[in-house]
Each structure stands twice: as C-alpha cells, then as structure tokens.
Amino acid sequence: MLVGILGVCVVAWLTANVFLSLAYYPGWYFHNRVLMALVGMVAGLGGAALLFYFINVTIESLPQRLSQGLIPYAFVLPAFGLIGLMLLYPTIQTINYSFANNDSTRYVGLDNYRSIFADSAFWLALTNNALWLIIVPALTVVIGIAVALFADRLSAKGENVAKSLIFLPMAVSFVGASTIWGVLIYSANPNIGILNAILGTSIDWIQQDTARLNSLLMMLILIWMQSGFAMVLLSGAIKAVPDETLEAARIDGANERQVFFKVIIPQIKGTIITVFITVVILVLKVFDIVYVLTNGNYRTNVIALMFFQELFTQGRAGRASAIVVILLILVTPILIYQVRHFRKEQGR
Amino acid sequence: MSAVADAPRVAKKSKRQPSYMKDGRPRSWTSIIVMVVLAFLWSVPTLGLLVSSFRSREAVSTSGWWTALFNPVEQGWTLDNYAGVLEGSNMAMGFLNTLVVSIPATILPIMFAAFAAYAFTFMEFPGKEILFVVIVAVMVVPIQVALQPMLYLLGPYGIGISGQFVAIWLLHTGFGMPLCLYTLRNYMATLPYSVVESAKIDGASHYQTFWRLVAPMSIPAMAAFATLQFLWVWNDLLIAKLFLLPTNATVIVQLQQLLGTQGQGAELLTAGAFISMALPIVVFVFLQRFFVRGLTSGAVKG
C-alpha cells in the first residue's frame, strides 16, 4: 500500500520533471531535438506504464470490495485528467474570457459581443460561413456517392486504383493543398495557372469577389480533399446493401433510378448523415485555406480565421474568445444530435 | 428471374467473354470512362506540383506545367528548387522538427486512452455512461475553444513551456485523446468478452489482463488511430504556429511563410510544398488499410 502510493508520487514527480526539463534546460540534451523526442517518448510511455502499475498496486492492497469499485476510476483518471485539462477547463475559461477585456484582466460584461455584432466584418464572415456550410458538405456527399457507385461497377483492381487516386488528397495538408491550387491552378499568370491557360485570360481568380467566386474556388479545394473520405465511407455502406433488396426491387419493375433513390439511399442514410456531419464540423474549424490564400481579404473571411486574426495578429483575447463562443454555439446542435444518437445506440 | 440471375454465372465459366469481367459482372464502359476522368482530374493537381517542383525558374515562367506533363523532353529539369528550399528556407531542419513533433504526439495519447478504453469496455462503474457522453460531446467541439486559455497556461505567466516541443506534445495528446478513446473503445467492444472473463477466473488482475490480452489484441485499432493522428499532427498549422518557436517551426509553418512572401517565385514554393507532403503521402499509401479503418471507426458516428 505504502509502496504503491510512494511509487505513484515518485513516478508522477519524475515524469513531470523530465518533461519540464525538456523545455527549461535544452542544454541537458545538447540541444539535440532527436534526443529530446526520444527522451520524451520514453518518459511519457514509461512514466504512464509505471504510473498505472503503482496505481494498481495501491488499489489492490485495499480491501477487495473497495478496490473493485476504485479500479475503473484509476484506469479512466489519467485520460480524463488530460481531457479535463486540455478541453473542458479551457472551454469554460474561454467563455469566461469572452466577458473580459483583451488582456483578460478585467470583466467588461457584454462589450466584446456588442463590438463583434456591430462589426460588419463579422457578419460578412458569418455569411461566408453559411455559404461554406451549404455548399461544401452537400457537394462532398454527392460526389462521394457518385464516385462510390461508379467505382463499384469496375473490376476489383480498377476500383482499388481509382479509389486510391481520389483518396490521396486526404493526406495533403490544407496549406499544401492551397499551395497547389493557388499557384498551379488559380495563378494569374497564364503560364503557371491552368485555369487562365484554358480560358485564355489572365485573371487573378483569388481576388474575384463578384458572386463570391473566390470563396467558391476555395471551397473546391476542400471538396477535392474530402471527397475521398466521403467516398470510402459511402462505398462501404453501398457494398453492405444486401443484393436481395436490389433484386426484389428490380423484379417488381423498378428502374435503376428508382432502385437508387428508393432502395439504396434509405439504407445508407446513416452513413450519409455521418459524412455530412463530419464535413460540417471540419468546415467550421478550417481556417488554413482562406488564411493562406487571401488572409480573409477580398470578402472571403470566415469565423475560424477571424478568431485566429483577433488572437494572433491583433492580440485581442476578449474578442477572440467571444468569436469562439459563437463558434461553440454553432456546433451545439450537432453536439446535441451526436449525444442523443449515441444514447439511442447504447439503449439498443 | 432465373435467366437473369444465371447470365453472370454462365459468363464466369467462359472466361474469354469480352463484355464480362473476371468475377462475372458485366463490364460497364460508362463507369470506366467516368472513373478514369475523375481519377485523372483528382490526381492532376498533385502531379502538376511534382512536375513543377523539378522545373527551372525560366521553364516555369515561360511554359505551363501541363506542357511538361505531355511533352517531358527539354523542359528545363533541375534539382535546384529542392536545393534552394532546403538550404535557403532551412526546410531540412523543418522536416526534422515535424518528425520530432509528430512521432511522440502520435504515440503518447494511445497509452492513456487504451487504459481508459479498457475500463469503458470491460468494467461496470457508476458514472460510466455520463463520462462517455462527455467524450462524444468533446469530439465535436472545435479545438479553437482551448487555445486562448492554453496559451496563458503554457505561456510565460503559466508554466512557461510554450514554444518548446513539450508543449505541442502535451496539446496534441490532449486533443487527440477523445478520438483515440472512442476508436479504441469501439474496437475493444468487438473483442470476445469470454477471453477477459476466463482470464479473470484464472486469477489475473485487470492490469495483467490489459497488458497480456487486451492491449495486444487491440493493436489494429491502435495502428488505425496512429495513422490518423500522425497525418493530423504532421499537417497541422494552427497549433504549430501558435505554440512553437520559429526555430522549432514545422514544414507546414515554413510552407505557409514561404507562401506569404510571394516574391520567391513559384518554383521554390512547389519544391517546398512537395517536401511537406512527401512523408504523409508515403505513410498514407502504405498504411491506407489502417487509415480507412481508423476513419470508419473514428468518424463521428451517424
């Protein structure tokens, strides 16, 4: 028992100090980052393993009934400690900061919200966000279904190759994808940008804000990246549709269009919703594409980027926090849906 | 009905039928053409980048990358862009930094999440459902909510580790935790409960059962999450930009800065972009199977 408690304390203390030393005294590691990464991994994994071991020793020395009750919490605690520290505490603190001034030193009531709602830039960003939310998830799902259906009719090998190629952009970073599209496709120089080469023009596409053309062009980048993800999930769902149901519909005289809309779609509805929600969440979070290509100029700003600008460029913590709270409110319906759905599934 | 159903089966026997595929389904030329066009459209941007990154400054500005794609001779091929970007922008160091950031940030969350996932799958305890609902909820919350308080907490007025690698490992471990827990728990729920049961009868403690049985059996799910997390950490811009000193900058941050200084010209940019993409693409191609499994289990369940 004593050994266990002592062990927990010593391991926790040692691990914490090793990690802090990595930050405070890089000289101890000869400023060698590879060595630091190795030490970090060994200390992290070894520390965690030993910590769980000593927790286990401590709890097992307790009376049987007590230990059986405590063990689950001991297993869950470290993970939840991290979630609490990194996600729950900051969320509450952010809501708190949104009522404070820009150094978070004094409460200013609703001033941040008032100043945001009075800012036309905010409404512009919100409108753009709405556009992204209407267009990107829907198009991604439609392309995903179409590709999955066509790929399903190819030979096994052809299907694999085609799917891998369409899936590949998923591995590319948002910054990398924006570089590719911004330079090789949308560049104003017709010798570099293929769009101008095809049309025989030399327009700087990223600056064209008539009818939000530049926003649409940036949405294309995200759709290019995410279609593969949609396709993979939807293709799995389509393959899981039992053949008998398709056969039965065809015998009853349904044409292919009816088979698709009345038989396949209802059976893959769950997956469609999954993909849709995942892309919606992504769209709300993504700021990289707009940041890299226009930095929000030419009427392209979005909420996530506006937050970044307030926080990073302007250093206005109050307004930045208020924007995040609005983002949080925007995802709340999805959050409630997810939790409800999860509970329903557990109940079954 | 039988005639319709039999047709493919007959085709299977006579192998050389041109209008049927090996597995007996009819060959659909529409699908073939559509898919070839789509696959081409989807790969052309990446291919264009690869081609451009190997062309000299003059070649890039006088003829489009697509001409080099169709007529690969005499296009001013060169390795100068890579040399320029690796030395001039210090991208070699950036590459190393990104590895130093990504590998610990990929492995560390798994350890913590695995224990918790074990408890959620094989143990009963009060508050279990509520705790798991918290995880489902937290997966939806954008990480932006955490940044301002974490900047204070890790910054000079907090514990002062912001800017160092340790800070970013900690952050990615925390942010990756809900998804990791969720993925592992979903996988462990498919393991046969009888195995754990019989270990318990043999007198094994939960700690032993976890290490000897459940952890080794869950390796596929761990690999799936690891692939997903590696790509996410490697490609991340937001956290790396806010929490790393310029000397520790990752390739993604460097690429973003390169893109900001447009004077450089397109040829260095393309080489830089390709350096930042090379490893994720390799990981992706070789671990695609795991990656897909991670996606299907980790994607927000609908």
Side-chain angles (χ1 to χ4, degrees):
Chain A
M1 168 94 186
L2 209 63
V3 178
I5 293 177
L6 208 67
V8 171
C9 296
V10 170
V11 169
W13 181 81
L14 264 180
T15 316
N17 275 296
V18 168
F19 272 102
L20 285 179
S21 78
L22 284 170
Y24 295 155
Y25 309 108
W28 291 6
Y29 307 95
F30 315 108
H31 295 279
N32 183 328
R33 41 204 82 203
V34 177
L35 182 67
M36 283 159 77
L38 285 176
V39 170
M41 273 197 297
V42 170
L45 292 179
L50 280 174
L51 196 67
F52 279 113
Y53 173 76
F54 282 118
I55 288 176
N56 197 54
V57 167
T58 313
I59 287 179
E60 292 214 319
S61 65
L62 293 172
Q64 176 81 15
R65 263 188 59 206
L66 197 60
S67 81
Q68 283 306 315
L70 279 180
I71 262 197
Y73 296 105
F75 275 36
V76 166
L77 190 71
F80 261 87
L82 278 168
I83 290 176
L85 177 71
M86 303 283 179
L87 289 161
L88 298 180
Y89 154 77
T91 306
I92 293 162
Q93 194 65 280
T94 294
I95 296 173
N96 186 13
Y97 286 157
S98 75
F99 299 108
N101 66 357
N102 287 330
D103 312 318
S104 311
T105 48
R106 189 171 50 81
Y107 283 107
V108 293
L110 288 171
D111 280 5
N112 292 319
Y113 291 95
R114 266 190 221 115
S115 101
I116 285 173
F117 288 136
D119 189 348
S120 64
F122 169 75
W123 293 106
L124 181 75
L126 205 62
T127 325
N128 284 333
N129 255 86
L131 271 180
W132 279 76
L133 283 176
I134 291 165
I135 294 170
V136 176
L139 261 184
T140 308
V141 168
V142 169
I143 292 176
I145 293 179
V147 173
L149 277 178
F150 281 119
D152 202 33
R153 303 225 166 94
L154 297 181
S155 64
K157 205 172 174 190
E159 180 175 353
N160 263 339
V161 173
K163 276 179 162 179
S164 298
L165 286 176
I166 292 178
F167 198 23
L168 191 71
M170 181 110 207
V172 177
S173 63
F174 293 112
V175 183
S178 309
T179 312
I180 296 179
W181 285 71
V183 175
L184 300 177
I185 294 176
Y186 300 148
S187 168
N189 181 344
N191 281 331
I192 299 176
I194 196 169
L195 196 54
N196 277 320
I198 290 172
L199 298 174
T201 50
S202 50
I203 301 166
D204 198 341
W205 292 103
I206 286 307
Q207 300 186 4
Q208 303 305 310
D209 61 0
T210 356
R212 293 290 203 283
L213 181 64
N214 47 6
S215 288
L216 289 171
L217 291 175
M218 286 192 276
M219 290 177 205
L220 272 188
I221 302 175
L222 192 56
I223 293 170
W224 175 70
M225 296 177 74
Q226 292 298 314
S227 298
F229 156 74
M231 170 204 69
V232 164
L233 287 196
L234 290 164
S235 166
I238 289 173
K239 281 187 195 305
V241 171
D243 278 341
E244 296 86 61
T245 58
L246 305 180
E247 289 286 313
R250 285 187 190 123
I251 290 161
D252 289 345
N255 59 29
E256 285 307 303
R257 172 198 285 263
Q258 284 168 323
V259 168
F260 175 70
F261 282 106
K262 301 242 166 87
V263 183
I264 296 182
I265 290 283
Q267 294 194 62
I268 61 169
K269 213 175 100 199
T271 313
I272 292 180
I273 295 174
T274 305
V275 173
F276 193 86
I277 287 182
T278 313
V279 180
V280 164
I281 295 172
L282 188 74
V283 166
L284 282 173
K285 283 197 276 205
V286 165
F287 80 108
D288 323 35
I289 296 177
V290 184
Y291 175 56
V292 165
L293 287 178
T294 65
N295 196 14
N297 295 319
Y298 318 111
R299 296 174 51 207
T300 55
N301 216 350
V302 288
I303 296 281
L305 176 56
M306 204 178 161
F307 157 77
F308 183 80
Q309 290 165 334
E310 292 287 342
L311 180 67
F312 191 68
T313 323
Q314 317 273 1
R316 291 195 287 222
R319 271 173 60 113
S321 300
I323 291 173
V324 181
V325 171
I326 290 161
L327 198 61
L328 201 60
I329 293 170
L330 286 179
V331 297
T332 306
I334 304 171
L335 193 150
I336 292 170
Y337 173 84
Q338 287 295 343
V339 168
R340 274 215 188 129
H341 186 84
F342 169 75
R343 293 212 128 152
K344 212 163 63 188
E345 237 176 28
Q346 293 301 299
R348 242 192 276 144
Chain B
M1 189 234 154
S2 64
V4 178
D6 278 350
R9 226 170 287 152
V10 173
K12 199 183 255 172
K13 275 174 202 155
S14 55
K15 264 187 184 169
R16 299 282 173 233
Q17 278 275 354
S19 55
Y20 289 101
M21 295 185 293
K22 267 189 200 148
D23 53 4
R25 288 177 300 152
R27 179 158 289 166
S28 154
W29 284 104
T30 347
S31 302
I32 293 177
I33 292 166
V34 169
M35 284 308 288
V36 166
V37 170
L38 281 178
F40 179 74
L41 278 181
W42 249 254
S43 342
V44 145
T46 321
L47 220 58
L49 181 75
L50 183 62
V51 167
S52 302
S53 69
F54 286 108
R55 297 178 76 209
S56 67
R57 177 189 275 266
E58 301 83 62
V60 164
S61 52
T62 50
S63 66
W65 47 268
W66 49 93
T67 55
L69 214 55
F70 297 116
N71 177 23
V73 213
E74 288 295 310
Q75 292 291 349
W77 301 112
T78 174
L79 286 171
D80 289 354
N81 304 334
Y82 284 91
V85 116
L86 284 173
E87 285 161 21
S89 314
N90 214 356
M91 257 209 173
M93 186 51 106
F95 196 86
L96 186 65
N97 286 340
T98 323
L99 277 176
V100 170
V101 165
S102 310
I103 294 175
T106 303
I107 294 171
L108 291 178
I110 296 175
M111 185 79 171
F112 293 98
F115 272 98
Y118 175 88
F120 276 116
T121 321
F122 298 112
M123 296 175 179
E124 287 303 326
F125 54 95
K128 177 171 151 176
E129 207 198 334
I130 292 172
L131 284 181
F132 208 75
V133 162
V134 169
I135 291 171
V136 173
V138 158
M139 271 171 36
V140 180
V141 172
I143 54 163
Q144 273 94 342
V145 298
L147 297 183
Q148 177 70 45
M150 288 322 277
L151 275 173
Y152 283 139
L153 193 65
L154 302 182
Y157 301 111
I159 55 175
I161 60 170
S162 185
Q164 305 295 333
F165 292 116
V166 185
I168 205 160
W169 296 336
L170 193 69
L171 289 167
H172 280 301
T173 303
F175 296 154
M177 191 68 70
L179 182 64
C180 188
L181 228 170
Y182 189 81
T183 313
L184 288 180
R185 184 255 182 196
N186 274 357
Y187 184 82
M188 285 181 188
T190 65
L191 296 177
Y193 191 75
S194 56
V195 176
V196 177
E197 197 87 301
S198 60
K200 209 191 267 174
I201 292 166
D202 290 346
S205 73
H206 278 300
Y207 187 76
Q208 287 165 326
T209 317
F210 172 81
W211 276 113
R212 304 242 173 91
L213 283 172
V214 176
M217 283 160 88
S218 308
I219 284 179
M222 293 181 187
F225 170 79
T227 327
L228 207 65
Q229 171 87 348
F230 180 80
L231 288 181
W232 150 241
V233 174
W234 182 284
N235 287 337
D236 159 75
L237 173 69
L238 184 58
I239 300 172
K241 198 163 173 65
L242 286 175
F243 289 92
L244 279 180
L245 288 172
T247 47
N248 295 342
T250 63
V251 272
I252 301 296
V253 175
Q254 290 181 329
L255 179 63
Q256 178 261 321
Q257 283 159 350
L258 213 59
L259 204 56
T261 52
Q262 278 289 356
Q264 298 258 13
E267 75 284 353
L268 285 186
L269 208 51
T270 50
F274 206 79
I275 290 171
S276 81
M277 286 161 43
L279 191 65
I281 287 182
V282 169
V283 167
F284 182 81
V285 168
F286 282 99
L287 299 177
Q288 204 179 66
R289 209 157 42 90
F290 290 116
F291 184 70
V292 169
R293 205 179 300 161
L295 275 183
T296 34
S297 63
V300 187
K301 287 270 166 173

